[in-house]
């Protein structure tokens, strides 16, 4: 019953997309209000069908209805309820259904929220969204059908999801967050297609496009961080980023999306880079489809990848169709966009933004080549080639350093052409902060060139970020407001300005934390009998005993370890080996003791019959500040989505005038 009903909603959604897409394109071409209204209704109906189909799948999972093929594949009567719920997206077919659910919700949001003032764009946008949804509906109606019937054998209890996905609560939030970013890139893509078909990307459409770009970018930022955190907490190798192909697949569209956000700012302020902004938005969507192909086709080996299925050729065909359509559309329509008033000047803020864009795209191509080269080499020459961390670090780290420098140069420069004197004043002022950053790093023991350069550039950019970010607050305080009140009022009047600088602050924190943690990790690994200990950094780790803990879906073998620091007992940690009946080898789950300055990371490597255990201890500095920095970036992006309050009071208007005068003087 659940199989038939769920599949029926999938087919209904497919039919709605097949009807709604041409109706939407026709409505856009004819600028028909009736056609747009019909497209809106079809979009909402499609979202309802995907909600219904997904609800049926969740019901089948919770009720352990193994007659549904996907439930028989990932469900189990032994797994806890929260794992049963998140198993919805734990394997190939369910993940595609979840993708279409998220896409349906985005389509409904666009249909409801974009109601006034954009009718000439909206029909094309909804038609493009429904066209993308049509492809995914074909997948879940055909080769990736999660509702295929299954003949349940006697005493069948189900295998449960992949043990790696049962090992941490982060799996509850990481995939939905990443999907909200990944799938959400379809919305700005559709809006850019609408702009090309209309032959216009004006200010009235740029603002909603920028907002719909910021939403998935914020979620993708958070999703990438949560994925790194999950890897750190679950896989037991002591790191959070390995330049894994699937990790890179999520990183690629993030880079181009960030570039598109900055390009949109320049377009909004100066009217330039219209074509470039459009290309970046289109590229971001194409990279999400490429990443989805890498994740679900089986062409790469990764702990993050889904099991190999039959849909790889379908994704490759869809990517090819989208790429051809984008190239043709750009060739035919890019010249119809409003002409740029002129190229950005080098000695200006918009020029720095353009260089920022070029570096981001350069990093993207560097990561793309390193990710795809092994696949191409094996496909063409039949040779297995590995491109690992040394390549990515050697090629991308200098580009990241340049990016941090431009984050300091850009906001310090004025819009338009700057005089040489103004440029010198703007660029030389932060140099003492750069020297202070390097000196502080040196005082704490940093000697590596990349770390010292990172801290120096971070000091430079932090000075500019703080100075520019708080300039409206200082202007209001100079007019008589107390500082907290001035900060609150400045935030209400211009939240997007402050949000941008908050994002930059989070980027600096994350960048410095990564540089420190990557260069100053120490580790030690020993075989220990009960009562024996070993040292790592300034910790002493003593193994006390092992014991077992059973749960319905697994059995844990836990090593009880006492941690000392400079002779003082800090407490006990329990790294474990988890045994799942569906997995032959145990899965190690580390335990982490986090402090403000560093993490102590313990992994149980082995347990032998004599009672000895192999324990690996790793001390990594500054890891906490990576997660904190990304959360700050997410918060800053949310600020950028808040519409500014209209400046109405005389004091506020005078403050804005004073701020503008101060900015022009540097």
């Amino acid at each position: 019953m659940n199989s038939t009903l769920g599949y029926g909603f999938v087919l209904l959604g497919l039919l709605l997309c097949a009807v709604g897409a041409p109706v939407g394109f026709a409505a856009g071409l004819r600028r028909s209000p009736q056609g747009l209204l019909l497209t809106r209704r079809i979009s909402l109906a499609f979202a309802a069908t995907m909600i219904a189909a997904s609800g049926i799948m969740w019901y089948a999972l919770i009720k352990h209805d193994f007659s549904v093929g996907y439930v028989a594949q990932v469900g189990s009567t032994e797994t806890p309820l929260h794992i049963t719920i998140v198993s919805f997206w734990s394997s190939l077919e369910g993940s595609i259904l979840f993708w279409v659910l998220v896409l349906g919700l985005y389509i409904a949001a666009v249909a409801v929220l974009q109601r006034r003032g954009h009718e000439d764009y909206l029909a094309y946008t909804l038609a493009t969204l429904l066209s993308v949804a049509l492809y995914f509906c074909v997948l879940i109606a055909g080769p990736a059908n999660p509702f295929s019937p299954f003949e349940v054998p006697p005493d069948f209890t189900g295998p449960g999801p992949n043990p790696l996905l049962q090992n941490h609560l982060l799996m509850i939030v990481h995939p939905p967050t990443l999907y909200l970013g990944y799938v959400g890139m379809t919305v700005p893509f559709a809006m850019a297609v609408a702009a090309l078909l209309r032959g216009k990307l004006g200010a009235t459409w740029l603002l909603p496009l920028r907002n719909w770009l910021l939403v998935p970018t914020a979620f993708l930022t958070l999703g990438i961080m949560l994925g790194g955190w999950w890897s750190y907490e679950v896989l037991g190798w002591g790191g959070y980023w390995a330049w894994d192909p699937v990790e890179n697949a999520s990183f690629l569209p993030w880079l181009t999306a960030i570039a598109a956000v900055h390009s949109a700012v320049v377009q909004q302020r100066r009217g330039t880079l219209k074509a470039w902004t459009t290309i970046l938005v289109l590229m971001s969507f194409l990279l999400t489809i490429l990443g989805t192909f890498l994740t679900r086709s089986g062409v790469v080996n990764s702990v993050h990848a889904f099991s190999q299925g039959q849909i790889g050729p379908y994704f490759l065909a869809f990517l090819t169709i989208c790429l051809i359509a984008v190239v043709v559309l750009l060739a035919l329509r890019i010249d119809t966009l409003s002409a740029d008033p002129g190229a950005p000047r080098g000695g200006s803020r918009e020029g720095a933004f353009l260089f920022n864009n070029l570096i981001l795209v350069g990093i993207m191509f560097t990561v793309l080549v390193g990710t795809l080269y092994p696949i191409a080499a094996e496909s063409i020459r039949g040779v297995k080639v590995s491109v690992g961390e040394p390549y990515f670090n050697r090629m991308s780290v200098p580009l990241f350093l340049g990016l941090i420098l431009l984050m300091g140069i850009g906001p310090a420069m004025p819009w338009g052409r700057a005089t040489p004197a103004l440029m010198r004043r703007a660029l030389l002022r932060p140099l003492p902060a750069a020297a202070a950053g390097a000196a502080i790093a040196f005082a704490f023991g940093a000697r590596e060139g990349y770390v010292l350069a990172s801290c120096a550039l971070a000091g430079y950019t932090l000075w500019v970020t703080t100075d520019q970010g708080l300039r409206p607050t200082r202007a209001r305080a100079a007019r008589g407001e107390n500082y907290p009140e001035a900060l609150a009022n400045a935030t209400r009047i211009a939240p997007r300005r402050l949000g941008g600088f908050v994002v930059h602050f989070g980027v600096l924190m994350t960048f410095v934390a990564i540089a420190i943690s990557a260069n100053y990790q120490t580790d030690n690994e020993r075989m220990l009998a009960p009562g024996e200990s070993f040292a790592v950094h300034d910790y002493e780790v003593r193994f006390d005993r092992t014991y077992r803990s059973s749960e319905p879906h697994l059995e844990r073998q836990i090593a009880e370890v006492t941690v000392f620091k400079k002779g003082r007992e800090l407490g006990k940690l329990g790294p474990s080996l988890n045994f799942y009946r569906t997995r032959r080898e145990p899965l190690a789950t580390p335990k982490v003791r986090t402090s403000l300055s560093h993490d102590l990371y313990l992994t149980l490597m082995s347990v032998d019959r004599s009672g000895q255990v192999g324990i690996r201890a790793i001390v990594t500095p500054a890891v906490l500040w990576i997660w904190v920095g990304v959360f700050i970036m997410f918060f800053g992006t949310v600020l950028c989505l808040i519409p500014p309050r209209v400046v109405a009071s005389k004091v506020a208007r005078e403050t804005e005038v004073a701020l503008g005068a101060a900015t022009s003087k540097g």
Side-chain angles (χ1 to χ4, degrees):
M1 178 61 181
N2 287 323
S3 289
T4 304
L5 190 58
Y7 192 66
F9 277 114
V10 170
L11 292 179
L12 179 58
L14 191 156
L15 178 62
L16 288 168
C17 290
V19 173
V23 167
F25 283 122
L29 183 63
R30 298 175 181 175
R31 302 191 184 184
S32 167
Q34 294 80 11
L36 174 58
L37 179 61
L38 180 57
T39 307
R40 269 203 178 107
R41 290 175 176 174
I42 292 174
S43 299
L44 294 174
F46 167 72
T49 62
M50 291 303 103
I51 293 171
S54 300
I56 290 169
M57 179 57 72
W58 261 309
Y59 178 81
L61 284 166
I62 293 171
K63 292 297 183 179
H64 306 299
D65 181 1
F66 296 120
S67 66
V68 178
Y70 186 72
V71 179
Q73 180 183 344
V74 303
S76 174
T77 57
E78 297 178 351
T79 55
L81 178 61
H82 70 279
I83 294 177
T84 297
I85 292 172
V86 302
S87 63
F88 184 105
W89 50 75
S90 67
S91 196
L92 184 64
E93 293 83 359
S95 72
I96 300 297
L97 177 59
F98 188 62
W99 180 293
V100 186
L101 170 64
V102 176
L103 181 56
L105 294 175
Y106 268 116
I107 292 174
V110 173
V112 171
L113 297 177
Q114 297 298 138
R115 296 193 64 85
R116 295 181 180 178
H118 306 111
E119 290 80 1
D120 50 347
Y121 292 95
L122 188 56
Y124 283 132
T125 300
L126 292 175
T128 305
L129 289 169
L130 290 171
S131 299
V132 175
L134 176 62
Y135 161 75
F136 283 97
C137 284
V138 169
L139 279 185
I140 58 176
N145 176 18
F147 292 104
S148 58
F150 179 76
E151 187 174 341
V152 185
D155 303 321
F156 183 77
T157 59
N162 186 331
L164 278 171
L165 307 181
Q166 303 181 41
N167 225 27
H168 203 284
L169 292 178
L170 281 171
M171 280 310 297
I172 297 175
V173 293
H174 163 54
T177 306
L178 197 61
Y179 275 66
L180 286 167
Y182 237 50
V183 182
M185 289 296 171
T186 313
V187 177
F189 166 77
M191 298 176 83
V193 168
L196 287 170
L197 292 174
R198 283 282 295 111
K200 182 181 180 182
L201 182 56
T204 58
W205 192 236
L206 178 64
L207 183 58
L209 188 152
R210 176 174 172 265
N211 288 340
W212 283 108
L213 180 62
L214 282 171
V215 170
T217 301
F219 282 117
L220 192 56
T221 303
L222 196 59
I224 292 171
M225 183 276 289
L226 291 172
W229 196 358
W230 172 82
S231 178
Y232 182 71
E233 293 280 349
V234 168
L235 298 183
W237 61 289
Y240 44 81
W241 192 264
W243 295 107
D244 178 278
V246 177
E247 293 174 339
N248 295 347
S250 62
F251 190 47
L252 292 169
W254 183 84
L255 290 167
T256 52
I258 294 296
V261 168
H262 286 82
S263 181
V265 171
V266 176
Q267 182 181 340
Q268 188 175 15
R269 289 295 300 263
R270 306 295 295 176
T272 63
L273 303 181
K274 292 183 176 67
W276 179 238
T277 302
T278 304
I279 290 170
L280 288 171
V281 170
L282 298 174
M283 192 184 301
S284 299
F285 171 75
L286 293 175
L287 288 171
T288 64
I289 300 301
L290 173 64
T292 309
F293 165 71
L294 294 176
T295 308
R296 290 164 175 81
S297 64
V299 299
V300 296
N301 293 318
S302 168
V303 297
H304 306 278
F306 291 88
S307 58
Q308 185 169 0
Q310 303 299 316
I311 67 170
Y314 290 86
F315 268 107
L316 192 57
F318 182 61
L319 176 61
T320 303
I321 292 170
C322 289
L323 182 59
I324 292 173
V326 164
V327 170
V328 170
L329 188 59
L330 286 172
L332 295 177
R333 304 292 291 175
I334 194 69
D335 60 329
T336 62
L337 298 181
S338 301
D340 287 349
R345 300 177 183 272
S348 64
R349 186 174 299 191
E350 57 265 37
F353 272 49
L354 179 59
F355 284 120
N356 164 289
N357 269 219
L358 295 176
I359 289 180
L360 284 167
V361 173
I363 297 171
M364 185 276 293
F365 275 112
T366 298
V367 177
L368 182 65
V369 169
T371 303
L372 296 184
Y373 179 73
I375 302 171
E378 186 173 358
S379 300
I380 298 171
R381 297 161 47 200
V383 178
K384 287 189 176 293
V385 178
S386 176
V387 177
E389 188 174 349
Y391 161 81
F392 290 105
N393 289 344
R394 188 180 306 116
M395 298 298 293
S396 64
V397 168
L399 292 174
F400 276 114
L401 291 174
L403 190 65
I404 296 300
L405 177 61
L406 282 173
M407 284 173 53
I409 292 176
M413 301 294 291
W415 295 104
R417 193 167 188 84
T419 64
L422 181 59
M423 287 181 60
R424 284 195 299 271
R425 190 160 58 247
L427 299 180
L428 294 179
R429 275 182 184 176
L431 287 179
I440 292 171
F442 190 87
F444 277 92
R447 297 296 183 268
E448 286 73 12
Y450 276 141
V451 177
L452 291 171
S454 299
C455 293
L457 293 176
Y460 184 98
T461 303
L462 179 61
W463 191 95
V464 174
T465 299
T466 305
D467 176 63
Q468 294 290 327
L470 295 179
R471 186 166 287 192
T473 302
R474 294 200 305 270
R476 297 185 71 90
R479 296 274 173 175
E481 296 182 12
N482 63 63
Y483 209 84
E485 181 185 5
L487 178 61
N489 288 334
T491 303
R492 282 196 294 269
I493 291 170
R496 292 171 181 168
R497 174 189 170 91
L498 181 61
F501 288 111
V502 170
V503 171
H504 282 194
F505 180 74
V507 170
L508 292 176
M509 180 181 291
T510 302
F511 184 81
V512 171
I514 289 174
I516 293 172
S517 65
N519 284 276
Y520 297 103
Q521 186 180 84
T522 58
D523 68 327
N524 197 355
E525 183 177 340
R526 294 286 180 86
M527 290 294 298
L528 301 175
E532 292 182 340
S533 62
F534 70 100
V536 57
H537 197 54
D538 53 357
Y539 288 97
E540 180 185 353
V541 177
R542 186 187 71 202
F543 166 55
D544 296 329
R545 65 185 180 109
T546 59
Y547 63 95
R548 289 185 175 269
S549 172
S550 296
E551 299 179 30
H553 62 303
L554 64 86
E555 184 173 314
R556 301 182 190 272
Q557 189 168 22
I558 304 170
E560 185 179 284
V561 175
T562 304
V563 178
F564 300 87
K565 186 174 184 180
K566 297 179 180 179
R568 182 170 62 91
E569 181 176 334
L570 300 180
K572 298 183 183 296
L573 295 177
S576 65
L577 292 175
N578 297 344
F579 296 85
Y580 297 85
R581 63 183 179 83
T582 57
R583 184 184 176 99
R584 296 183 60 182
E585 297 296 325
L587 182 65
T589 298
K591 286 295 179 183
V592 185
R593 186 181 187 276
T594 298
S595 67
L596 293 177
S597 59
H598 62 270
D599 283 5
L600 172 63
Y601 188 99
L602 298 181
T603 303
L604 179 60
M605 308 297 293
S606 62
V607 180
D608 65 21
R609 294 181 179 179
S610 68
Q612 286 190 321
V613 298
I615 293 179
R616 186 184 185 198
I618 306 172
V619 176
T620 309
V623 176
L624 173 65
W625 300 106
I626 298 174
W627 323 135
V628 173
V630 176
F631 276 116
I632 291 174
M633 292 164 61
F634 179 80
F635 173 70
T637 308
V638 173
L639 279 178
C640 291
L641 287 166
I642 299 174
R645 180 181 171 186
V646 177
V647 181
S649 70
K650 179 180 178 182
V651 172
R653 285 194 296 270
E654 291 175 351
T655 301
E656 296 302 312
V657 171
L659 175 61
T663 302
S664 64
K665 294 177 182 178

